[in-house]
Amino acid sequence: MNNHSGRGRVAGLPAWDRCAVMGVVNVTPDSFSDGGRWFDTTIAVKRGLDLVSEGADLVDVGGESTRPGATRVDEAEELRRVVPVVRGLASEGVVVSVDTMRASVAEQSLAAGASLVNDVSGGLADPAMIPAVAAAGAPFVVMHWRGFLQGDSVKGAYEDVVAEVVDELQARVEAVLAGGIAPDRIVVDPGLGFSKEAEHDLTLLAHLDRLCALGHPLLVAASRKRFLGRVLAGPNGAPPPARERDAATAAVSALAAHSGAWAVRVHEVHATADAVRVARAVEEARTAGPAPGARGERGARDAEHTLGDAHEHQARGDGRAPGADGTHGAEGPR
């Protein structure tokens, strides 16, 4: 399959010719990765603009941490955090995604200029979410979700994580479609790190083709997550801090882009922006025609065939190879 052609596009958003890069702005004091750094509205807007200058195609603004054990912020506070940042970025021409599980935050963010709703619960946390997004005609990210990351839901149990995530996502997509959201406005997300252990996340990344086969653009959000910490752990088993996992994140971004992901969601943009552009260049080289050297390889095969004919003639006793008289001998590879 041509990964680029299989990547798809999302109605209502720009059509990128490669895997898009979604930069993250957490307007929270307690995010697992960068909590508190962009909590002020002015600083958060500047951060979003900086991400765009580094290569982000769109910016995801969230005002509620979804890390394990996080306490939910109340609705008024989430609105206070998110809407002014969305408005500020949209006024600068930035394509903005709002990361929220609340219909009211989605509605007000869309009114303030957001173009996409990214709900980690896939509409399960707030029954009003799907009707609100459908009424607005906005694109919607449906993430695989098994509940808030508290108690037993932090560590999910799976017999076949790929099959179960695909089946549960498909069921959720069908519910979203039944709720009135158009099929060309749905994005799916495997929910790496949500009710999953490191081995589950890695297995899902190894089988992104199964998720692409759902028929909707795929968002991969691996940035700085725990499973990368596990992969990078030192001899003592201690994982590096979240902010030291950006090179590993860029590696996942390249793999995801190669596998046909529509977008990757990352905290630090520069390395991932480079990674997806390299992945795109490799796609273009693959579809451009025969690789350099293919003619030489064909010539080598022709030469082998000619030598075989020569041996056959010698076996018959004439002692002459085809072309020995200068008429039509093969040159072989140069």
Side-chain angles (χ1 to χ4, degrees):
M1 180 184 76
N2 181 309
N3 287 334
H4 174 55
S5 65
R7 183 167 289 125
R9 64 155 300 179
V10 182
L13 296 178
W16 296 287
D17 69 346
R18 51 165 169 73
C19 178
V21 179
M22 176 187 285
V24 179
V25 175
N26 287 318
V27 195
T28 62
D30 58 346
S31 167
F32 85 96
S33 172
D34 52 9
R37 296 185 71 188
W38 326 115
F39 195 45
D40 175 81
T41 296
T42 301
I43 295 174
V45 171
K46 182 180 184 303
R47 173 61 176 169
L49 295 174
D50 288 345
L51 292 176
V52 172
S53 71
E54 292 169 11
D57 299 295
L58 64 168
V59 174
D60 194 41
V61 178
E64 180 176 28
S65 175
T66 54
R67 63 178 174 78
T71 301
R72 292 211 70 186
V73 64
D74 66 50
E75 179 181 4
E77 176 62 13
E78 187 181 358
L79 287 165
R80 186 195 68 78
R81 294 175 182 181
V82 169
V83 175
V85 178
V86 170
R87 182 178 294 111
L89 289 171
S91 70
E92 296 289 337
V94 176
V95 179
V96 180
S97 165
V98 59
D99 178 0
T100 184
M101 292 182 280
R102 285 193 171 97
S104 60
V105 178
E107 287 176 315
Q108 293 195 38
S109 295
L110 291 169
S115 300
L116 170 69
V117 177
N118 180 15
D119 180 355
V120 299
S121 80
L124 289 168
D126 184 347
M129 178 65 86
I130 301 306
V133 176
F140 186 63
V141 178
V142 180
M143 197 190 83
H144 177 261
W145 193 70
R146 286 187 169 181
F148 296 101
L149 297 181
Q150 298 172 344
D152 292 339
S153 70
V154 174
K155 298 181 178 181
Y158 301 88
E159 291 186 8
D160 182 337
V161 66
V162 177
E164 291 172 56
V165 168
V166 167
D167 288 348
E168 291 169 28
L169 264 178
Q170 181 61 53
R172 193 64 208 143
V173 166
E174 289 172 2
V176 169
L177 289 168
I181 296 179
D184 61 356
R185 294 177 185 266
I186 292 175
V187 176
V188 295
D189 178 342
L192 301 178
F194 285 80
S195 301
K196 298 171 184 72
E197 294 294 282
E199 60 269 22
H200 299 141
D201 294 328
L202 291 167
T203 300
L204 287 166
L205 285 173
H207 296 281
L208 290 180
D209 59 319
R210 298 270 300 278
L211 290 149
C212 289
L214 285 167
H216 296 280
L218 175 68
L219 172 65
V220 175
S223 184
R224 297 180 173 177
K225 287 188 174 177
R226 287 177 299 160
F227 80 94
L228 294 178
R230 287 278 300 276
V231 170
L232 301 175
N236 62 355
R243 293 181 197 173
E244 294 180 15
R245 303 173 194 170
D246 291 326
T249 297
V252 173
S253 296
L255 292 169
H258 176 72
S259 297
W262 166 75
V264 287
R265 180 182 183 274
V266 296
H267 295 84
E268 291 296 331
V269 162
H270 186 81
T272 277
D274 286 349
V276 300
R277 283 165 173 80
V278 170
R280 177 61 181 139
V282 172
E283 288 178 12
E284 291 175 337
R286 184 183 300 113
T287 58
R295 182 182 299 275
E297 292 167 6
R298 185 170 60 250
R301 289 195 298 271
D302 292 344
E304 290 171 3
H305 179 71
T306 300
L307 288 172
D309 287 347
H311 290 312
E312 183 180 349
H313 279 277
Q314 289 171 352
R316 291 201 304 265
D318 60 16
R320 299 178 64 210
D325 59 358
T327 56
H328 54 273
E331 293 182 346
R334 288 188 177 89

